Amino acid sequence: MGKAVAALAAERGHTIHTVVNRLENTGGKALTAERLTGADVALEFTRPDAVVRNLERLIDLGIPTVTGTTGWLGSFSQVQDLVRQRSGALLHAVNFSVGVHLFFRAARELVRSFRGRSEFVVTIQEEHHKTKLDAPSGTALLLQRELVNEEPGRQFPITSLRDGETLGTHTLSYTAPHETVTLSHVARNREVFAAGALAAAEWLPGRTGVFTFDDMLFGEPG
Ligand SMILES: NC(=O)c1ccc[n+]([C@@H]2O[C@H](COP(=O)([O-])OP(=O)(O)OC[C@H]3O[C@@H](n4cnc5c(N)ncnc54)[C@H](OP(=O)(O)O)[C@@H]3O)[C@@H](O)[C@H]2O)c1
């Protein structure tokens, strides 16, 4: 993702101030004022075991930060508190595709249509490449949370598959004995996420608080 974002940023005329890689950045130690002074915004796509320390350093340095790293929801409130204490700016999205966020809206609508129809068994399936570290995907977990809010009495179990090169497919299915209704989103290349993350990085500077991609796409909550 880092490479995809950097390539697109250069194409759009942005200057890449610095690129930080894993070997020099144990515990976030490469994220220093000397290295980052002059950067308008940071984009963080790493791994679940690195992201929290990176975000803490970036927020401490007062750099508006966009992160797409998944698999660290358990530490989210700790990072959120730090952003508030420091009057910083953080935008986090488990999925930077505009299509996925519209898919979520359609999925909520589907749940409303099927509400109370117990003859249908509902499932969320997600499929990703075999090197993805976290399962279920952050997108599937977020979808599940939103759908449970829509119909609290219903279970929305997630099935995860890790195989091949799949960049991210999410499907909501309602299956009855003789028919199936499915709604799917398929990411066909990384550029879709890079474009969304970059749009978020253009939007965030000048704002204060913790934001989601939805806030950017559909307006901040009033
Ligand atoms: N929000 C979205 O739309 C979206 C889309 C795609 C992926 N993601 C998520 O974004 C994250 C990255 O995905 P990816 O596909 O790019 O994974 P990846 O191919 O495994 O790349 C992760 C990169 O992070 C580097 N890294 C690890 N620890 C680091 C540290 N402490 N400091 C600096 N760099 C560090 C790794 O360096 P080495 O190569 O040296 O190990 C590697 O280059 C994952 O959590 C993934 O689930 C989100």
Side-chain angles (χ1 to χ4, degrees):
M1 279 306 300
K3 284 178 190 150
V5 169
L8 197 62
E11 250 174 56
R12 288 211 206 167
H14 293 293
T15 303
I16 297 166
H17 183 81
T18 190
V19 175
V20 177
N21 65 51
R22 179 179 58 88
L23 290 177
E24 60 178 334
N25 193 37
T26 311
K29 71 176 184 214
L31 303 172
T32 59
E34 296 69 37
R35 178 93 174 248
L36 296 174
T37 297
D40 297 318
V41 63
L43 283 130
E44 203 277 357
F45 279 88
T46 60
R47 294 195 177 155
D49 60 356
V51 54
V52 173
R53 198 62 201 118
N54 287 341
L55 296 181
E56 287 172 345
R57 301 281 290 218
L58 290 163
I59 292 157
D60 269 337
L61 291 168
I63 301 192
T65 300
V66 171
T67 181
T69 305
T70 56
W72 59 282
L73 262 183
S75 304
F76 189 72
S77 61
Q78 166 194 337
V79 172
Q80 197 168 28
D81 288 348
L82 183 69
V83 175
R84 293 198 173 125
Q85 278 163 28
R86 299 275 193 277
S87 302
L90 177 74
L91 189 148
H92 171 244
V94 294
N95 197 306
F96 277 110
S97 130
V98 174
V100 149
H101 289 263
L102 296 171
F103 164 82
F104 273 33
R105 293 193 151 195
R108 289 198 296 268
E109 186 58 47
L110 199 64
V111 170
R112 284 197 281 277
S113 304
F114 278 83
R115 190 176 284 149
R117 296 258 174 206
S118 57
E119 70 275 30
F120 285 88
V121 173
V122 60
T123 52
I124 297 169
Q125 293 114 32
E126 60 98 352
E127 189 177 336
H128 283 85
H129 50 90
K130 49 185 179 259
T131 59
K132 183 170 174 61
L133 293 178
D134 50 319
S137 68
T139 303
L141 290 169
L142 184 61
L143 179 64
Q144 182 186 53
R145 210 165 61 217
E146 294 206 1
L147 300 188
V148 169
N149 283 342
E150 206 60 58
E151 190 176 1
R154 195 148 191 164
Q155 304 283 319
F156 292 88
I158 301 173
T159 310
S160 300
L161 180 67
R162 295 285 169 268
D163 196 20
E165 303 286 309
T166 311
L167 282 172
T169 297
H170 292 86
T171 303
L172 175 66
S173 315
Y174 279 88
T175 305
H178 304 295
E179 57 186 334
T180 302
V181 175
T182 60
L183 180 71
S184 288
H185 177 271
V186 180
R188 289 203 309 274
N189 59 49
R190 277 180 192 282
E191 281 62 36
V192 67
F193 306 124
L198 209 54
E202 288 164 351
W203 180 87
L204 188 61
R207 291 183 157 81
T208 303
V210 177
F211 301 96
T212 64
F213 197 43
D214 269 12
D215 295 333
M216 190 200 104
L217 290 176
F218 307 121
E220 295 166 46

